[in-house]
Amino acid sequence: MIIVLKINISQEQKEHVIQLLEEHGLKAVVSHGVERTIVGVIGSEENVLKAKPHVEALEGVESVVRILKPFKLVSREFKKEDTVVDVRGVKIGARRVVAIAGPCSVENKKMMFEIADEVKKGGATILRGGAYKPRTSPYAFQGLGRHGLEILAEARERTGMPVCTEIMDTRDIEAFEEFADILQVGARNVQNFNLLKEVGKSKKPVLLKRGMMTTITEYLMAAEYILSNGNPNVILCERGIRTFEDMTRNTLDLSAIPLIKSLSHLPIISDPSHGTGKRDLIPPMAKASVACGADGLILEVHNCPEKALSDGAQSLYPSMFVKLMEELKPVAHAVGREI
Amino acid sequence: MIIVLKINISQEQKEHVIQLLEEHGLKAVVSHGVERTIVGVIGSEENVLKAKPHVEALEGVESVVRILKPFKLVSREFKKEDTVVDVRGVKIGARRVVAIAGPCSVENKKMMFEIADEVKKGGATILRGGAYKPRTSPYAFQGLGRHGLEILAEARERTGMPVCTEIMDTRDIEAFEEFADILQVGARNVQNFNLLKEVGKSKKPVLLKRGMMTTITEYLMAAEYILSNGNPNVILCERGIRTFEDMTRNTLDLSAIPLIKSLSHLPIISDPSHGTGKRDLIPPMAKASVACGADGLILEVHNCPEKALSDGAQSLYPSMFVKLMEELKPVAHAVGREI
Amino acid sequence: MIIVLKINISQEQKEHVIQLLEEHGLKAVVSHGVERTIVGVIGSEENVLKAKPHVEALEGVESVVRILKPFKLVSREFKKEDTVVDVRGVKIGARRVVAIAGPCSVENKKMMFEIADEVKKGGATILRGGAYKPRTSPYAFQGLGRHGLEILAEARERTGMPVCTEIMDTRDIEAFEEFADILQVGARNVQNFNLLKEVGKSKKPVLLKRGMMTTITEYLMAAEYILSNGNPNVILCERGIRTFEDMTRNTLDLSAIPLIKSLSHLPIISDPSHGTGKRDLIPPMAKASVACGADGLILEVHNCPEKALSDGAQSLYPSMFVKLMEELKPVAHAVGREI
Amino acid sequence: MIIVLKINISQEQKEHVIQLLEEHGLKAVVSHGVERTIVGVIGSEENVLKAKPHVEALEGVESVVRILKPFKLVSREFKKEDTVVDVRGVKIGARRVVAIAGPCSVENKKMMFEIADEVKKGGATILRGGAYKPRTSPYAFQGLGRHGLEILAEARERTGMPVCTEIMDTRDIEAFEEFADILQVGARNVQNFNLLKEVGKSKKPVLLKRGMMTTITEYLMAAEYILSNGNPNVILCERGIRTFEDMTRNTLDLSAIPLIKSLSHLPIISDPSHGTGKRDLIPPMAKASVACGADGLILEVHNCPEKALSDGAQSLYPSMFVKLMEELKPVAHAVGREI
């Protein structure tokens, strides 16, 4: 941590800064530059973390610059090797790029089974489907709830594919423990810290989506909540951030993929369905995702998008999914992976 | 709702669009322009809402434009007169601009009482303080929890001021019903829909903060969740949105205040503490907030910011708060209000 | 400047960093922290500026943190007292808040004279009007060009008000020197560095609008271009930045006003017309601008907005302008100013 | 164009709307919905364009929704087949993905020749280098100017590669006509409309970079300026937009590539150097660019980045460039292209 002092700081204020650092067990290295005095802070990261907000509030302090990244357990420096998350035998973060596919919402058993069969044939190895749906409008379809979870579990029995589904409420954790294989935390809940703590206490892998408004640092800190509560099996997912551009639903920030891979050992997948919101943009952006190093893709597929109760416009037809999976093979090979 | 068809839409696809509208009880008015065919949709808003996602997913459809705003109960059209929320006798949304003040976090009883006394003297009529704190880092102070609520309740006994405090978890609703006077839903939970439903079932007024990345439409839809679950006592709060500018913690979007007042009957207050993140910017932005029509201010005040366990850099000293309240009086008068 | 070294930097790389600093006449103060080594750099700002990009490109360097702000001549530290710009006797940056008003475009002599008369009656002291118009579409009205400048000059003769109008091309500088009193550089040209240099060589005051995408630092650096070319008479103008919110044309970032006033001695005005894009939002945002310290307002006024060749939807009717000017008086008084 | 009327519009105001449309040679189709009256507008796009701003300014009008895209000459609807731009025999927009490479700035003849030789060996077919540099700071290196253009021309003689370099001032057009092969318009000048008109009158191909805050519509309208002034040889370039994320210099919006390809016939390339600002992110993002359909890449390469006078941190070493070109081959093949 570096503290930049104001030009007009008084001697008393300066001593107050140093004293406060010492109270936190930190050592101050004062350096008088040509135009400014700065204070380098030496000590354990834990103490620095505690002292920082206090220093920032002091009179005479112009700014406080953090030198170290605030995340620990999720960082490459803490753990050098890539984390590979095992979901009932499907490995995420290994050489094979994983395809998670299925409808936005679980609507009924028949459609769920049909789509599950189709995506399995296409090469998906994990099934997705929402039972509890976060909807902008209270008047929109809110999902089948627990019954949706039961249908998902039946689809798993039928196809052998583990299931990934979104949890929105800390009170639902037991039901998810019973029925789901991956607990998905959605973009809107990426800083629902109580939910993060709760899935952090679970033994199930967690798919943590980046929020549409979270910086990469905040996002990794959200993952840190889960790891620090005991669950190391976190899969990250870039799903688009919010920008001024309005021709796409979000702006898929693919540079986050190689950047996060350099900062963290956790696997990261890409969601071009939400990232673009437009069916026709999904195939090219899925290819781009694999080309820049994504460990997997999560894709919305619906057998009849115009009957879908949610996200029809960004759902692939099963035939498009099959074709895309074929086209992804040479892209994966081109970067030394399989799909 | 207006549907714009693609130039190359087939006759069959066109009929499919009209048929789908009819299945939803809607009437289609087809209009052949010079370069494009568009379909006007007539029918109840409820049916339009249901049909929209399906139409968007149809082949041959270029885009779907909503004509009506999606919010109902929160809208000016639904209710013309301003809503005035009564919090134990303090009226929010009436002529008098309300000041809600207090520390970011409840740290202990002594500091809470001291600050409560100070802000009351300065003219605050509602006390704020966080018992459960949403923190970016799992290693940062997370709040006193239930004990913090108890301290707040004692501060209310002592000062007579109702208390406003943030709820983060649906499981805590009973404790908040017992101790708090205003249930605050924070920026990060503005689209935690289960929490919105839960506070919507409460009888207590809700202070719903705008998310740092919610559009005004999404924000009003979040309020719609609360009203549609039975609670009409919602206070809105502009607290800054996230932009590319990094010299301030957020960008306080004051134009949201008069804009929301034209769209909705709900009262709206301003939070220049979080909106700027810098102590020195709070007084000018508080004045600007009142000048453009805010019904209140929520301000962080700490008797020793450099000892604050959170948000010290954006906390006013009690003396600054007192001075600001004085300076706000002529500004309020200038726009026909009191403070 | 602080240099943070990578954990795994080699001794050779470390020496290379120090050598490079020395080659630039800088002194390195190496500080070994618990987890990281950092290098404080001491020397003249000029040398630091030259060395920085080179250091950033070195292997073994994790990041480079600037301590000092990059702007000089525009900074408060360079000049403590507020700059007051004198435009033919109208003072911008003094106690009186200045109103610059007029149509978006100069359309013809008749309308220009009518509007000039009206805004003068309402209390404006400077007249605005565009002769060269930056339009998103090549098919939209592009302004009257030089003829527009001549009309403006005639309106100045008629009313005695100095005129403010936008320059878009370095080749037009002589015509503007002849006819205009304030050279306006528009938001889209805020980083048209050749234009900045050219108006920097002029003797006329410059109204430099913030770009919709410039950070405050970049914005002040654009002003620095003008001052460093010899022209100290720069008026800044907050006119809204681009964000994800789409209900307003831009997001008027009013916190930039007090923030820039703390960083720079230059006067700053507000443009709520472009800042909101909506006629009804202009009065409340004009009041907010004055309340937070703006030195002036620039407002679009048209006697027949629906006949305006540009920006009709954000133009005030003359009667609204007159009313607003009245309403602004108590707001200005409330913050110790006149209007 | 669709006009949504306010609920409380008067009969007189409604007639005023229709009359104004008729004055512009347009036909109004009024449609009374359950909650709102809307007016469909039928007529030539030219008339609609003229009428729109006037209608928006009318009392009683709630909003005006454009149905058609505002761009014409650049649109796929105007020209179905891909445009292939021929730069002295190098074809951009054809099957072969083109690599444009070279240093950020032309610093001197020796370095320019060395880098030119290296990138040619690596497989680049067009040489880049800045002679006039847009720099945020007036104190930073501003380029060699005309002398830089001469060096570039010599490098072309030496290597046979056409050269691409940025023009910043309308007054420089003749020098660029003489020395350059591609006139580059930089991100900061994407809405410098006079410069766009000037390069639109040139016979040389134009590389038009997307602005860091231009929407795709605005960006295509900037290209429309060039085409409508007579120059059809425009190459588009995604180079990153500005968002809240600050770990990268910009956010490379790769979805813009397939999206623009669906909207326009113009070729589009990607600039991962400026798009990320970080050397290590360039290879993965270059691969992603090719995978999602980019027609080319523009890359900064420097033989000694730490001595570069600009952008050293985002310059590839020549060896990295050579390696990347090799790695791009299978990616290009995977999507049916060559490089």
Side-chain angles (χ1 to χ4, degrees):
Chain A
M1 187 166 70
I2 301 288
I3 304 167
V4 184
L5 302 181
K6 286 189 179 161
I7 273 189
N8 57 358
I9 188 171
S10 69
Q11 186 56 30
E12 195 187 355
Q13 288 171 329
K14 207 182 291 183
E15 282 160 15
H16 196 16
V17 172
I18 291 163
Q19 186 193 329
L20 194 146
L21 291 172
E22 287 170 352
E23 283 171 21
H24 284 84
L26 298 167
K27 197 180 140 203
V29 181
V30 181
S31 170
H32 297 275
V34 173
E35 308 191 34
R36 262 313 186 270
T37 298
I38 62 172
V39 182
V41 178
I42 294 177
S44 79
E45 186 52 13
E46 200 188 339
N47 289 347
V48 168
L49 184 78
K50 278 194 192 132
K52 181 165 177 281
H54 302 214
V55 174
E56 282 174 330
L58 283 176
E59 294 290 309
V61 168
E62 183 165 302
S63 60
V64 177
V65 183
R66 253 193 102 95
I67 298 301
L68 294 183
K69 308 281 188 298
F71 34 88
K72 286 177 207 296
L73 306 180
V74 304
S75 74
R76 273 277 174 215
E77 290 165 13
F78 179 79
K79 173 166 180 283
K80 282 222 174 64
E81 326 75 58
D82 288 347
T83 288
V84 176
V85 176
D86 188 314
V87 186
R88 288 183 170 241
V90 180
K91 291 182 169 38
I92 304 181
R95 189 164 188 274
R96 182 170 292 275
V97 176
V98 171
I100 304 174
C104 178
S105 306
V106 180
E107 295 169 17
N108 57 61
K109 195 186 291 190
K110 182 166 174 296
M111 71 73 92
M112 197 63 225
F113 283 9
E114 279 176 20
I115 299 175
D117 291 349
E118 304 243 36
V119 300
K120 188 178 180 186
K121 252 191 301 180
T125 50
I126 299 178
L127 185 64
R128 60 151 291 156
Y132 296 85
K133 298 301 305 171
R135 302 303 299 274
T136 307
S137 168
Y139 310 120
F141 175 63
Q142 308 273 317
L144 296 183
R146 189 184 170 90
H147 180 48
L149 293 180
E150 292 165 355
I151 292 176
L152 278 171
E154 288 184 67
R156 176 181 55 216
E157 295 313 301
R158 179 185 173 92
T159 61
M161 287 189 287
V163 297
C164 170
T165 189
E166 180 170 353
I167 180 167
M168 291 170 62
D169 195 319
T170 50
R171 295 173 299 190
D172 296 332
I173 189 78
E174 276 130 52
F176 277 76
E177 292 273 7
E178 183 180 347
F179 294 112
D181 300 303
I182 300 180
L183 310 180
Q184 180 178 326
V185 175
R188 289 171 186 76
N189 282 315
V190 67
Q191 292 196 319
N192 180 337
F193 300 115
N194 289 40
L195 186 59
L196 296 178
K197 288 175 187 171
E198 210 59 42
V199 300
K201 291 175 200 150
S202 170
K203 297 275 178 256
K204 300 266 181 175
V206 176
L207 176 62
L208 176 66
K209 289 200 155 190
R210 182 178 180 186
M212 61 193 79
M213 49 125 218
T214 33
T215 62
I216 287 174
T217 299
E218 288 171 338
Y219 182 33
L220 290 177
M221 289 308 285
E224 186 85 16
Y225 261 95
I226 302 173
L227 270 75
S228 67
N229 274 278
N231 188 344
N233 293 309
V234 174
I235 304 147
L236 301 173
C237 179
E238 165 61 33
R239 51 76 72 203
I241 57 173
R242 184 159 278 185
T243 70
F244 62 85
E245 179 57 55
D246 60 3
M247 271 209 192
T248 43
R249 182 169 171 177
N250 293 285
T251 297
L252 191 66
D253 176 13
L254 287 186
S255 60
I257 291 175
L259 185 52
I260 286 178
K261 280 195 154 302
S262 73
L263 296 169
S264 174
H265 52 83
L266 294 173
I268 178 164
I269 68 170
S270 172
D271 176 353
S273 301
H274 288 87
T276 65
K278 294 196 162 180
R279 189 183 296 141
D280 293 345
L281 296 179
I282 297 171
M285 296 313 285
K287 290 174 198 172
S289 301
V290 171
C292 71
D295 294 309
L297 295 165
I298 181 163
L299 296 163
E300 290 187 356
V301 178
H302 200 290
N303 50 2
C304 186
E306 72 262 29
K307 299 260 157 120
L309 295 179
S310 54
D311 282 354
Q314 70 189 36
S315 291
L316 294 174
Y317 296 99
S319 60
M320 289 177 79
F321 174 71
V322 173
K323 181 162 174 281
L324 173 57
M325 289 296 285
E326 276 309 307
E327 290 174 356
L328 284 169
K329 281 179 190 168
V331 179
H333 293 162
V335 294
R337 311 280 293 255
E338 303 289 332
I339 188 163
Chain B
M1 187 166 72
I2 300 288
I3 304 167
V4 184
L5 303 181
K6 287 192 177 159
I7 274 189
N8 57 358
I9 187 172
S10 70
Q11 186 57 30
E12 195 187 356
Q13 288 172 329
K14 207 183 291 184
E15 280 160 18
H16 195 17
V17 172
I18 291 164
Q19 185 193 329
L20 192 145
L21 292 172
E22 286 170 353
E23 283 171 20
H24 283 83
L26 298 166
K27 197 181 139 202
V29 181
V30 181
S31 172
H32 297 275
V34 173
E35 307 190 36
R36 264 310 188 271
T37 298
I38 62 172
V39 181
V41 177
I42 295 176
S44 78
E45 187 52 14
E46 199 189 337
N47 289 345
V48 167
L49 184 77
K50 279 193 190 133
K52 182 164 177 281
H54 302 214
V55 173
E56 281 173 331
L58 282 176
E59 294 290 310
V61 168
E62 182 164 303
S63 60
V64 177
V65 183
R66 254 193 101 95
I67 298 302
L68 295 182
K69 307 281 190 297
F71 35 87
K72 286 178 207 296
L73 305 179
V74 305
S75 75
R76 272 278 173 215
E77 291 165 14
F78 179 79
K79 175 165 179 284
K80 283 224 172 62
E81 325 75 58
D82 287 349
T83 287
V84 176
V85 175
D86 188 314
V87 185
R88 289 183 169 239
V90 179
K91 290 183 169 37
I92 303 180
R95 188 165 189 273
R96 182 170 291 276
V97 176
V98 172
I100 305 174
C104 177
S105 307
V106 180
E107 295 168 17
N108 57 60
K109 195 187 290 191
K110 182 166 175 295
M111 70 74 89
M112 196 64 223
F113 282 10
E114 280 175 18
I115 298 174
D117 291 350
E118 304 243 37
V119 299
K120 188 180 180 185
K121 253 191 299 179
T125 52
I126 299 178
L127 185 64
R128 60 152 291 154
Y132 296 86
K133 298 301 303 171
R135 303 302 300 275
T136 306
S137 168
Y139 310 120
F141 175 61
Q142 307 273 319
L144 297 183
R146 190 183 169 93
H147 180 49
L149 293 181
E150 292 165 355
I151 292 175
L152 278 171
E154 287 184 67
R156 176 181 55 215
E157 293 314 300
R158 178 185 173 91
T159 61
M161 287 190 286
V163 297
C164 171
T165 190
E166 179 169 354
I167 180 167
M168 291 171 62
D169 195 318
T170 50
R171 294 172 300 189
D172 295 331
I173 189 78
E174 275 131 53
F176 276 76
E177 292 273 7
E178 184 180 347
F179 294 111
D181 300 303
I182 299 180
L183 310 180
Q184 180 179 324
V185 175
R188 290 170 185 76
N189 282 314
V190 67
Q191 292 196 318
N192 180 337
F193 300 115
N194 288 41
L195 185 60
L196 296 178
K197 287 176 187 173
E198 211 59 41
V199 299
K201 290 175 200 150
S202 170
K203 296 275 178 257
K204 300 267 181 174
V206 176
L207 175 64
L208 177 66
K209 290 200 154 189
R210 183 180 180 186
M212 60 195 78
M213 271 254 159
T214 34
T215 62
I216 289 174
T217 299
E218 288 171 339
Y219 181 34
L220 290 176
M221 288 310 284
E224 186 86 16
Y225 260 94
I226 303 174
L227 271 76
S228 68
N229 275 277
N231 188 344
N233 293 310
V234 173
I235 306 147
L236 301 173
C237 179
E238 165 62 32
R239 49 78 72 204
I241 57 173
R242 184 160 279 185
T243 69
F244 62 84
E245 179 56 54
D246 59 3
M247 272 209 189
T248 44
R249 181 169 171 177
N250 292 285
T251 298
L252 192 66
D253 176 13
L254 287 186
S255 61
I257 291 175
L259 185 52
I260 285 178
K261 280 196 153 302
S262 74
L263 296 170
S264 174
H265 51 84
L266 295 173
I268 178 163
I269 68 172
S270 172
D271 176 353
S273 301
H274 288 87
T276 65
K278 296 196 160 178
R279 190 183 295 140
D280 292 345
L281 296 179
I282 297 171
M285 297 312 286
K287 292 174 196 170
S289 301
V290 171
C292 71
D295 294 309
L297 294 165
I298 181 163
L299 295 163
E300 291 187 356
V301 178
H302 200 289
N303 50 2
C304 187
E306 71 262 30
K307 300 258 158 122
L309 295 178
S310 53
D311 282 354
Q314 69 188 38
S315 292
L316 294 174
Y317 295 99
S319 60
M320 289 177 79
F321 175 71
V322 174
K323 181 162 174 282
L324 172 58
M325 288 296 284
E326 276 310 306
E327 291 174 356
L328 284 169
K329 281 179 189 167
V331 179
H333 294 160
V335 294
R337 310 281 293 254
E338 303 289 333
I339 188 162
Chain C
M1 187 166 73
I2 300 288
I3 304 167
V4 184
L5 303 181
K6 286 191 179 160
I7 275 190
N8 56 359
I9 188 172
S10 69
Q11 186 57 28
E12 194 187 357
Q13 288 172 329
K14 208 182 290 183
E15 281 160 16
H16 195 17
V17 172
I18 291 163
Q19 185 192 330
L20 193 145
L21 291 172
E22 287 170 354
E23 282 170 21
H24 284 83
L26 298 167
K27 198 182 140 202
V29 181
V30 181
S31 171
H32 298 274
V34 174
E35 307 191 36
R36 263 312 187 270
T37 297
I38 63 173
V39 181
V41 178
I42 294 177
S44 80
E45 186 53 12
E46 200 188 338
N47 289 346
V48 167
L49 185 76
K50 280 196 190 128
K52 181 165 177 280
H54 301 214
V55 174
E56 280 174 332
L58 284 175
E59 294 290 310
V61 168
E62 181 164 304
S63 61
V64 177
V65 183
R66 253 193 102 92
I67 297 303
L68 294 182
K69 307 282 189 297
F71 35 90
K72 287 178 205 296
L73 305 179
V74 305
S75 74
R76 272 278 173 214
E77 291 166 11
F78 179 79
K79 175 168 178 283
K80 282 223 174 61
E81 326 75 57
D82 287 348
T83 287
V84 176
V85 176
D86 187 313
V87 186
R88 290 184 168 238
V90 179
K91 290 182 169 38
I92 303 181
R95 188 164 190 272
R96 181 170 292 274
V97 177
V98 171
I100 304 174
C104 177
S105 307
V106 180
E107 294 168 17
N108 56 60
K109 196 187 290 190
K110 183 166 174 294
M111 71 72 90
M112 196 63 224
F113 283 9
E114 281 176 18
I115 298 174
D117 291 350
E118 303 244 37
V119 300
K120 188 179 180 185
K121 253 191 299 180
T125 52
I126 298 179
L127 186 63
R128 60 152 291 155
Y132 297 86
K133 299 299 305 169
R135 302 302 299 275
T136 307
S137 168
Y139 310 119
F141 175 62
Q142 307 273 317
L144 296 183
R146 189 183 170 92
H147 181 49
L149 293 180
E150 291 165 356
I151 292 175
L152 278 171
E154 287 185 67
R156 175 180 57 214
E157 293 314 299
R158 180 186 173 92
T159 61
M161 286 189 287
V163 297
C164 170
T165 189
E166 179 169 354
I167 181 167
M168 291 170 62
D169 196 318
T170 50
R171 294 172 301 188
D172 295 332
I173 189 79
E174 276 129 53
F176 276 76
E177 290 273 7
E178 185 181 344
F179 295 112
D181 300 304
I182 298 179
L183 310 180
Q184 180 180 323
V185 175
R188 289 170 186 76
N189 282 313
V190 68
Q191 292 196 318
N192 180 338
F193 300 114
N194 288 40
L195 186 59
L196 296 177
K197 287 176 187 172
E198 211 58 42
V199 300
K201 292 174 199 152
S202 170
K203 296 275 177 256
K204 301 266 180 175
V206 176
L207 175 63
L208 177 66
K209 290 199 154 189
R210 182 178 181 186
M212 60 195 79
M213 50 123 219
T214 34
T215 62
I216 288 174
T217 298
E218 289 172 337
Y219 182 34
L220 290 176
M221 289 308 285
E224 186 86 17
Y225 260 94
I226 303 174
L227 270 75
S228 66
N229 274 277
N231 189 345
N233 293 308
V234 173
I235 305 147
L236 301 173
C237 178
E238 166 61 33
R239 50 76 72 203
I241 57 173
R242 185 159 278 183
T243 69
F244 62 84
E245 179 56 55
D246 60 2
M247 272 209 190
T248 43
R249 182 169 169 177
N250 292 284
T251 297
L252 192 66
D253 176 13
L254 286 185
S255 61
I257 291 176
L259 184 52
I260 285 178
K261 279 194 155 304
S262 74
L263 296 170
S264 173
H265 52 83
L266 295 173
I268 178 163
I269 68 171
S270 171
D271 176 353
S273 301
H274 288 88
T276 65
K278 295 198 161 176
R279 190 183 295 140
D280 292 346
L281 296 179
I282 297 172
M285 296 313 284
K287 291 174 197 169
S289 301
V290 172
C292 71
D295 294 308
L297 294 165
I298 181 163
L299 295 164
E300 291 187 354
V301 179
H302 201 289
N303 50 3
C304 186
E306 72 262 30
K307 299 258 157 120
L309 295 178
S310 53
D311 281 355
Q314 70 189 38
S315 292
L316 294 174
Y317 296 100
S319 59
M320 289 177 79
F321 174 71
V322 173
K323 181 163 174 282
L324 172 58
M325 288 296 284
E326 276 311 307
E327 291 174 356
L328 284 169
K329 281 179 190 169
V331 179
H333 293 161
V335 294
R337 310 282 291 256
E338 302 290 331
I339 189 164
Chain D
M1 186 166 71
I2 300 288
I3 304 167
V4 185
L5 303 180
K6 286 190 178 161
I7 275 189
N8 57 358
I9 187 171
S10 71
Q11 186 56 28
E12 197 186 354
Q13 287 172 329
K14 206 182 291 183
E15 281 160 15
H16 196 17
V17 172
I18 290 163
Q19 186 192 328
L20 193 145
L21 291 173
E22 287 170 353
E23 282 171 21
H24 283 84
L26 298 167
K27 199 180 138 202
V29 181
V30 181
S31 170
H32 297 275
V34 173
E35 305 190 38
R36 259 318 184 268
T37 298
I38 63 171
V39 181
V41 178
I42 294 177
S44 78
E45 186 53 13
E46 199 188 338
N47 290 345
V48 167
L49 184 78
K50 279 194 189 129
K52 181 165 177 282
H54 303 215
V55 174
E56 281 174 332
L58 284 175
E59 295 289 310
V61 168
E62 183 165 303
S63 60
V64 177
V65 182
R66 255 193 101 95
I67 297 301
L68 294 182
K69 307 281 189 297
F71 34 89
K72 286 177 206 297
L73 305 179
V74 304
S75 74
R76 272 277 173 214
E77 290 166 12
F78 179 78
K79 175 167 179 283
K80 284 223 172 62
E81 326 75 57
D82 287 349
T83 287
V84 176
V85 176
D86 187 313
V87 185
R88 290 183 169 238
V90 179
K91 290 182 170 36
I92 304 180
R95 189 166 189 272
R96 182 171 292 273
V97 176
V98 171
I100 305 175
C104 178
S105 307
V106 180
E107 294 168 18
N108 57 59
K109 196 186 289 189
K110 182 166 174 294
M111 71 72 91
M112 196 64 225
F113 282 9
E114 281 175 18
I115 298 175
D117 291 350
E118 304 244 36
V119 299
K120 188 178 179 185
K121 253 190 299 179
T125 51
I126 299 178
L127 185 63
R128 61 151 291 155
Y132 297 86
K133 298 301 306 171
R135 303 303 299 274
T136 306
S137 167
Y139 310 120
F141 174 61
Q142 307 274 318
L144 297 183
R146 190 184 170 91
H147 180 49
L149 292 181
E150 291 165 356
I151 293 174
L152 278 171
E154 288 186 67
R156 175 181 56 214
E157 293 315 300
R158 179 186 172 91
T159 60
M161 286 190 286
V163 297
C164 171
T165 188
E166 179 169 355
I167 180 166
M168 291 171 62
D169 195 318
T170 51
R171 295 173 300 189
D172 296 331
I173 188 79
E174 275 130 52
F176 276 76
E177 291 273 8
E178 186 181 344
F179 294 111
D181 300 303
I182 299 180
L183 310 180
Q184 180 178 325
V185 176
R188 288 170 186 76
N189 282 313
V190 68
Q191 292 196 319
N192 180 338
F193 300 116
N194 288 40
L195 186 59
L196 297 178
K197 287 175 187 172
E198 211 58 42
V199 299
K201 290 175 199 150
S202 170
K203 298 276 178 256
K204 301 266 181 176
V206 177
L207 175 63
L208 176 67
K209 290 199 155 189
R210 183 178 181 186
M212 61 195 78
M213 271 255 159
T214 35
T215 62
I216 288 174
T217 299
E218 288 171 339
Y219 182 34
L220 290 176
M221 288 309 284
E224 187 84 17
Y225 261 94
I226 302 173
L227 271 75
S228 67
N229 275 277
N231 189 344
N233 293 309
V234 174
I235 305 147
L236 301 172
C237 178
E238 165 61 33
R239 50 77 72 205
I241 58 173
R242 185 160 278 184
T243 69
F244 62 83
E245 179 56 55
D246 59 3
M247 272 211 191
T248 44
R249 181 169 171 178
N250 292 284
T251 297
L252 191 67
D253 177 13
L254 286 186
S255 61
I257 291 176
L259 184 52
I260 285 179
K261 281 196 154 301
S262 74
L263 296 169
S264 174
H265 52 83
L266 295 173
I268 179 164
I269 68 171
S270 172
D271 177 352
S273 301
H274 288 87
T276 65
K278 296 197 161 179
R279 188 182 297 141
D280 293 345
L281 296 179
I282 297 173
M285 296 313 284
K287 291 175 198 170
S289 301
V290 172
C292 72
D295 293 309
L297 295 166
I298 181 164
L299 295 164
E300 291 187 355
V301 178
H302 200 290
N303 50 3
C304 185
E306 72 262 32
K307 298 257 157 122
L309 295 177
S310 53
D311 282 356
Q314 69 189 38
S315 292
L316 294 175
Y317 296 100
S319 60
M320 289 178 79
F321 174 71
V322 173
K323 180 161 175 281
L324 172 57
M325 288 297 285
E326 277 309 307
E327 291 174 356
L328 284 169
K329 281 179 190 168
V331 179
H333 293 161
V335 294
R337 310 280 293 254
E338 302 291 332
I339 188 162

